[in-house]
Amino acid sequence: TSKKSYQTALARNRKQQPKVSKRIQRNEHPRFLHYMQIGREEKVKRLKAEMQKLLGEEEKYVGTIKALENSLIQLRATRQDLQAKSNRRQMLYSTSKQMFDRVVKSFPPTSRLQQILSSIAAQALEIAKEEHLLNQIDQVIVTLRR
């Protein structure tokens, strides 16, 4: 359950406490003929027990909310620590990649590498031609629909 649900329960509990307190007061000190009510003392005991239950629940809710807040603070600190480590990892990876690229560029390309690079360039040119053709076809379709 979330902190918000505990806060809602705590607010509901605190709202009920004055009502129960008034009922206890009214039943402990009745006015007029109400003092003749049957089982008034038992009702007062029952209301006091209900009030103690409400107070106990309030303490439980407050403790749970404080525990959740402490847990949230710890999780935020952990997240910041992990974010810093992740940033450091990214920086090290970037540096490693730059160093690798520098080393690879320092050697003359082999004939196989030149063949692969020329093949990549040729394929990119073919893809560009096909994309241009597709764009022209799309334009023709648009003009035909008008």
Side-chain angles (χ1 to χ4, degrees):
T1 54
S2 68
K3 178 182 171 185
K4 188 167 185 138
S5 64
Y6 282 108
Q7 287 175 331
T8 304
L10 180 62
R12 190 176 330 114
N13 185 309
R14 287 183 175 163
K15 188 176 178 181
Q16 289 176 349
Q17 285 178 10
K19 293 176 185 177
V20 173
S21 182
K22 278 184 185 179
R23 289 177 66 200
I24 291 171
Q25 177 68 24
R26 188 174 59 235
N27 283 290
E28 278 184 332
H29 308 287
R31 296 184 189 164
F32 305 114
L33 298 175
H34 294 274
Y35 67 90
M36 296 175 65
Q37 179 182 3
I38 298 173
R40 188 170 47 85
E41 288 88 21
E42 290 83 21
K43 185 173 184 180
V44 169
K45 288 178 185 175
R46 201 172 52 249
L47 289 171
K48 284 185 177 182
E50 184 179 341
M51 185 63 152
Q52 290 302 318
K53 180 183 168 198
L54 288 173
L55 293 173
E57 287 177 353
E58 179 181 12
E59 288 177 15
K60 182 182 83 172
Y61 292 145
V62 168
T64 304
I65 290 171
K66 287 194 184 295
L68 288 172
E69 287 173 349
N70 290 337
S71 174
L72 181 63
I73 289 169
Q74 290 174 347
L75 289 173
R76 283 182 179 159
T78 303
R79 188 186 92 209
Q80 287 176 347
D81 183 42
L82 291 174
Q83 186 67 36
K85 287 179 180 179
S86 174
N87 291 342
R88 174 79 174 141
R89 180 182 166 273
Q90 287 288 69
M91 186 186 74
L92 290 173
Y93 177 76
S94 175
T95 304
S96 169
K97 185 165 174 33
Q98 288 173 355
M99 289 171 59
F100 178 79
D101 290 344
R102 230 180 293 142
V103 168
V104 168
K105 286 181 182 179
S106 68
F107 290 103
T110 63
S111 62
R112 178 72 180 135
L113 182 59
Q114 288 176 341
Q115 182 184 7
I116 290 171
L117 291 175
S118 66
S119 174
I120 289 172
Q123 289 173 2
L125 183 63
E126 289 296 321
I127 289 173
K129 287 179 184 177
E130 288 179 11
E131 286 177 350
H132 180 67
L133 180 62
L134 286 172
N135 286 337
Q136 288 178 340
I137 291 171
D138 287 341
Q139 289 175 355
V140 169
I141 290 172
V142 168
T143 56
L144 289 175
R145 286 185 180 170
R146 288 184 189 167

